[in-house]
């Protein structure tokens, strides 16, 4: 299940959308993505194929709602 998002802006010239994604901590993140890629992902295409320009952390945020800093805190194997 993907994290809920909302479309904040659409750029028809670039065919991109700016989306707002609320993470598990309640913070909102903005990502600008390819509009067709976003639609493809919503229709079931793997996120890596649909939105290849996003970083792994941005894709994880969209999928789970976990921001990179929290992910690092939770799963950091390099403890002092």
């Amino acid at each position: 299940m993907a994290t809920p998002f909302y479309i904040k802006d659409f750029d028809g010239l670039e065919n991109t959308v700016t989306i707002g994604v609320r993470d598990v901590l309640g913070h909102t993140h903005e990502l600008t993505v390819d509009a067709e890629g976003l639609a493809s992902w919503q229709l079931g295409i793997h996120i890596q194929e649909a939105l290849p320009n996003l970083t792994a952390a941005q894709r994880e945020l969209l999928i789970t709602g976990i921001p990179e800093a929290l992910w690092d805190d939770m799963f950091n194997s390099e403890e002092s």
Side-chain angles (χ1 to χ4, degrees):
M1 180 92 180
T3 302
F5 64 87
Y6 63 92
I7 295 176
K8 185 174 181 176
D9 189 41
F10 172 70
D11 182 337
L13 294 175
E14 296 290 326
N15 196 34
T16 60
V17 290
T18 299
I19 59 174
V21 181
R22 183 159 296 196
D23 67 25
V24 296
L25 301 173
H27 302 114
T28 301
H29 304 262
E30 287 187 10
L31 300 172
T32 300
V33 299
D34 179 75
E36 290 179 28
L38 184 63
S40 295
W41 175 56
Q42 291 292 287
L43 291 172
I45 301 297
H46 291 280
I47 195 167
Q48 295 90 335
E49 294 175 33
L51 299 168
N53 293 334
L54 293 182
T55 66
Q58 290 169 325
R59 292 191 301 263
E60 191 65 39
L61 176 66
L62 270 175
I63 294 168
T64 65
I66 300 173
E68 184 174 20
L70 179 57
W71 188 266
D72 290 345
D73 287 346
M74 290 183 346
F75 300 105
N76 188 355
S77 60
E78 297 179 29
E79 296 195 21
S80 303

